[in-house]
Every structure is written in structure tokens, then in C-alpha cells.
Amino acid sequence: MDGRHLEVRRWLTLALLATGPVLVVGVFFVLPVSGMVARGLWPDGVFDPGGVIEVLTRPRVARVAWFTVWSAGLATAVAVLLGLPVAFVLHRLALPGRRLLRAALLVPFVLPTVVVGVAFRLLLGEAGPLGFLALDGTPVAIVAGLVFFNVAVVIRAVGAAWESLDARPAEAAAALGATPVQVWWTVTLPALRPAIVSAASVVFLFCATAFGIVLTLGGVRYATVETEIYLLTTTLFDLPAAAALSVLQLVVVVALLGLAARLRATPDATANRSTARPRQIRSGDAPALVVTALVLIMVAAPIASLVLGSFHTDAGWSTANYRALSGVGSNDALLVPVTDALLTSVRTAVDATWMALSMGLAVAVLVTRRSQTRAERRVRGLLDGFFMLPLGVSAVTLGFGFLITLDHPPLNLRDSPLLVPIAQALVALPLVVRTLVPVLAGIDDRQRQAAASLGASPWRALLSVDLPVVFKPLLAASGFAFAASLGEFGATSFLARDEHPTVPVVIFRLIGHPGALNYGMALAASVVLATATAVVMLAVERLRVPSVGAF
């Protein structure tokens, strides 16, 4: 009887923890996405699967799908090849200033995608430092932007695994006469393979669903599935075609998230190991150091071009572009000054952060509690995958779904100021969960049992055992969520009202209006936004939470 009572109590606790987050994600994610899909698949109230097949067999859709696959695949391969040696240098070698370099390389991942696009256009344009390469508006520029944005994922994910890798097997192999190459192929690579493949699957997911970078660098000529959904919904109003592409994207996303989740659960040599101490630099580390220097240059070049361009005007070097941020641009390009948009972005990001943090903490606690039965373990695994869905589902689909499903009672939120923060919180939720889950999973459950044996209630045990350990990761997760929300563009481009735009939306509007002043203001606003996210991520890095950015 006691055993059955405890089992019922565990299931009730599980249900209690899951109810709130499941309802929030169900109402504000599943409902909008399914509403968007249903609007296209049931155009006249009748299911029309033939329409989906017709859309997927269109020549343009085939070209868009193929461009999405090969560009994302190439960007993923390049990101992995560049990220592996950098992860080794920054997580295994005693390199001076390595923590600062880690933070610097994480900044591109949280930069607004539209800012990345503007920076690369400035770098590769005709008047840019690399204009002689004639890469502006080409697939090479898009792939380079995707690598710039996502190489940090490989560095953080593989670096965290590499840092906790037991060095003794590699040392034993070297002592037995194995060359460094043999040690890498026979010892190190097999131990890191789960982390590498998991990081690669997440990077491919991010590349395949990239929006701002492809829209800014590729325009209409080079479209991915994500930008094609945007074009079909906002310009052509072809909802059946957009829904068909959304379904295709959802299938791919679920498959990749399942692969990543399975690899995260794969036991490997890094499990249950303490962090290895970095070793001194040797002569054989030169190739990895060279690649690290090249990656740093690759990251710094677009940002440096952006900063320099923001101070350049027709009259020479000045701060005119920054002073113009208090205005609305030439020919009234904006309805409100950029400074007002910056305040709106900060308020919105603060709201999105506390929403994502409260939900993410509940989800992390939910999925990391020890399961006593196979059924309970399976339910927790399904919930973990369910809450990761916003990680890769089209932000365009989510934003447009908000507009068509949350515009009538009892959820008439179309004019609500909470609509944008909720959408941004859903985008940031997986980042918070993936930051907190490794920390909570690493807490010895015997500490909670000891607290319970001393009479502590589950909530008291949570406060006395879990909270001291998770406090700094909570701060790091909040900073990560704030930076991601500050630069969110996909869903916000649909939901932000004209009189209350965020800075990424304002930047996109400015570069879409002709005039040197508008373009200069876009560059200055991009620098301000990039600086804000960089400062936040530098503060996050000082907290020294390895799981930040490690998927």
C-alpha cells in the first residue's frame, strides 16, 4: 500500500509540475502552429491533402528545399570543422584570456540575425573591405553568415564535453607509442562523437530555419524554406503552400530534435567526470591555434566593418548616424525614433526573460527528477522533447499563427502588449532549459533524500539543496534569454505593432528604405544592439556556467 501511495504521489507531483508549462506551450505554441497549418490544409473547411502534394512538387519549392538542405549541410560541416580545434584550444589548453575569448565567440550566436546580415553585406558589398571578392548576394555569403552565427554552438557543446573528458586513456595510448593522430582517431573522437553529432544536428537545425540572415543576404533570389514561408504568407498570401512547407519543416525539426535528445542521453566517456585541468600549450598545438586565430578574425571582421561603417557618412567620419537615432530617418522611414524602439526592446526582453525563466525552471526540474519506472522515464523524455519544439520550428510560422488564432475570444490577444514577449519567451525557453538541465541533473539525489529523511518537505528540499547549486546558472540562463529576446526578429516581425517596434524590426525597415541617412542609422542601431548583447554575454560568461550555449 505504501509503495502504491508513493507511486501515486510521484505521478501527482509530475502532473502538478507539468500542468502549467504544458498549458502555456500548448496554448501559445501548439495552438498557433496547428492553426497556421490547419488554415492551409483545410482552406475551405475540407481537408485537401492533394494541395500539399501539389505544393511540394512545384519547381520553385523543390529548388528552395534543395537550397535549404545543401546550404545548411555545408554550413554545418564548416562550423564543425572550424569549431572542433577552437573547442580544444579554449577548453583544454591553458591559453591566457580563454574565458574572454569564449565569451567573444558566443556573442555571434545571440546577435540579432538581421544585424549579422547587415554586417556581412557591409563587409562583402562593393564598397566593403572584401568587395573585390564579389560575394555579396551569393550563396557563399549566406553560408558564411550561417557559419558565423552557429560556430559557437559547436565550440560550446563539444568544448563542454572535451573539458570533462578523462585524459588518462589518451595518455595511456600515447605512452604505448600511439601518435597524436592515432590517439585522436582511436580514443578522443569516439568519446566526443555523441557531443559532435548532437551539436551538428542542432547547428543544421538552426541553419535550416535561419530567417534574418538569409532574408538580408539572399533576398528573393536565394530563399530557404523559412524565408519562403515568410514570402508566401506576407507577399503572395498563399496559405496552403506556406502550410505545406511548415508541415515539411515540422517533420524535419522533430526528427532532428529526437536525434539530438537521443545523443544527449547516450552514455559516453565524459559522463560522471570532473572538469579536467587545462594543460600547457605544446608545439603540436600550432594547427589548432592557427584555426582559432582564423575563427576569431572571421568573427571580428564583420563586427569591425559594422562599427566602422556606423561612423562613416558622406561628410567623413562622425557620430551623425548615432545622433540621428533620436529621429525617424529620412522621408519618415519610421513612425517612432530608434531610441523609443530600444526602450521597447528592453521592456519586451525583460518580460520575455521572466516568462522563459519561470517556465524553464519548472521544465528543468520536471525532466531531471529521478524516474522510478520505465513509464515515468518515458513520460519525462516525451515532455523534454515537447518543450524543445520551439527551438527549431519556424518563428515565421509561430508569429503568423499568433495572428490568426489569438484574435478572437477567449484569447483575443492580437492587440495585447504581452503578445510579443510571449512569443520571444517561447523562442528563449529551450535555451533556458538546456542551460539548467545539466546542472540539476548533476545534483546527487542522495542529498534530497537526506533532506527528506530529516523532515524537509519536497519544496523545502528544493530550496535547500537545489537552489544554492542552480542560483548562478539561473542568472546565466536569464542573461542568455534576455540577449536572445533582445534580438529576436522572426516572430516579432509579424507581431510588433508599427507604433511599438523593436530594434531588429526598425533596422530591417531602415535598410529597406532608400537614403544614406537611413542606412547609416541602421548601422548605428545594429552596433547599439550588438553592444548590448555582447555586454550581457560577457556578464554571463563571468558566471562560469559551462552549460550556457551547450546544446
Side-chain angles (χ1 to χ4, degrees), residues 267-327:
D268 58 71
T270 69
N272 301 319
R273 299 287 184 186
S274 58
T275 302
R277 295 184 62 180
R279 66 168 176 79
Q280 296 300 314
I281 298 175
R282 303 169 184 168
S283 59
D285 300 325
L289 292 170
V290 170
V291 174
T292 301
L294 291 176
V295 171
L296 288 171
I297 293 172
M298 182 190 76
V299 169
I303 298 177
S305 297
L306 184 65
V307 173
L308 292 175
S310 69
F311 287 101
H312 189 267
T313 65
D314 293 337
W317 299 97
S318 75
T319 58
N321 292 328
Y322 289 90
R323 294 195 303 270
L325 295 181
S326 59

Side-chain angles (χ1 to χ4, degrees), residues 10 44 51 179 216 323 390 515 542 549:
R10 283 199 307 272
D44 299 314
T179 64
T216 306
R323 294 195 303 270
R542 287 185 63 85

Side-chain angles (χ1 to χ4, degrees), residues 116 127 129 176 187 195 211 264 277 293 322 330 349 375 440 455 459 507:
V116 176
L176 293 174
V187 180
F211 176 62
R264 282 197 304 269
R277 295 184 62 180
Y322 289 90
S330 61
L440 288 173
W459 291 109
I507 293 171

